[in-house]
Amino acid sequence: MTKSQVVVAYDFTKQADLALERAIDLACRDPHNVLHFLTVVDSQQTYETADRIREDLLVRLNALFSARAPGVELEFYPHARIGKPAAEILDLAKEVGADLVIVGSHDRGAVGRMLLGSVSTEVLHKALCPVLVARPKGYEDVQLEKVIAVETPVTMRPRAHRYSYNSGIAQLRPVDWPI
């Protein structure tokens, strides 16, 4: 069985925590996924800063995975890169042959996206694989009724509807034709 490569964008924000949570759920359900966690550092930072952030990410991931105790060995890699977030996410996805990319969403609104851009939107439109945008649940919980199958005897089926028309074409139709 081939392993699926999953790229997870993580920037230590509350919105990115949702993406991290979805990725951990996915990894615990299917250990055949290889997770690549990526943090992108501002281009004004040094390589030492990027390496320190990668180490912080590794510590956080180890703590999260050990707390979930999946009972299986999981394969994951922390990455830290310097550059523009969307470009680096897409580059890593290309390098590992990603089957899925998971990103968070800051929900800035139209004006915020226009001024600051949207990493999740750019990744969504340019990625060559499925993209999961992790957002907090906004729907209320709904209690659904359980649907059960009911066996009905063949004789209880309703008859098919028959329609009649006043046009000459419909009157030429034999009565036995089903509609």
Side-chain angles (χ1 to χ4, degrees):
M1 173 178 255
T2 61
K3 294 186 175 191
S4 296
Q5 304 294 322
V6 180
V7 173
V8 184
Y10 186 70
D11 63 359
F12 294 92
T13 63
K14 188 172 111 176
Q15 293 82 5
D17 284 340
L18 288 170
L20 186 66
E21 186 179 312
R22 298 296 184 274
I24 291 171
D25 288 344
L26 180 70
C28 290
R29 280 195 315 262
D30 184 6
H32 290 86
N33 292 307
V34 178
L35 301 176
H36 299 270
F37 295 93
L38 173 64
T39 297
V40 180
V41 181
D42 188 322
S43 59
Q44 297 174 356
Q45 299 296 326
T46 64
Y47 287 103
E48 292 82 16
T49 303
D51 195 45
R52 183 178 43 79
I53 289 173
R54 190 189 69 74
E55 290 296 324
D56 291 345
L57 178 60
L58 180 60
V59 168
R60 181 174 176 91
L61 292 172
N62 280 326
L64 288 170
F65 281 125
S66 64
R68 290 289 297 266
V72 293
E73 180 109 5
L74 299 173
E75 188 175 352
F76 68 93
Y77 302 95
H79 301 267
R81 295 187 174 191
I82 298 173
K84 296 190 181 285
E88 294 300 329
I89 293 166
L90 294 167
D91 284 347
L92 181 60
K94 181 179 179 182
E95 289 171 15
V96 300
D99 296 293
L100 175 68
V101 175
I102 303 175
V103 295
S105 175
H106 290 283
D107 290 330
R108 289 191 178 104
V111 174
R113 281 191 305 273
M114 188 172 69
L115 296 174
L116 300 172
S118 172
V119 172
S120 58
T121 301
E122 187 173 345
V123 170
L124 184 65
H125 289 285
K126 293 183 178 178
L128 302 177
C129 66
V131 176
L132 176 93
V133 179
R135 299 179 66 183
K137 180 181 173 181
Y139 298 114
E140 293 181 20
D141 288 332
V142 176
Q143 186 66 30
L144 299 175
E145 292 183 23
K146 185 176 180 180
V147 178
I148 57 172
V150 178
E151 302 255 347
T152 58
V154 176
T155 58
M156 293 185 63
R157 290 189 180 159
R159 293 189 51 160
H161 295 298
R162 296 201 181 266
Y163 298 95
S164 62
Y165 302 95
N166 291 332
S167 71
I169 296 172
Q171 290 175 355
L172 296 176
R173 180 183 63 81
V175 178
D176 294 341
W177 281 13
I179 294 185

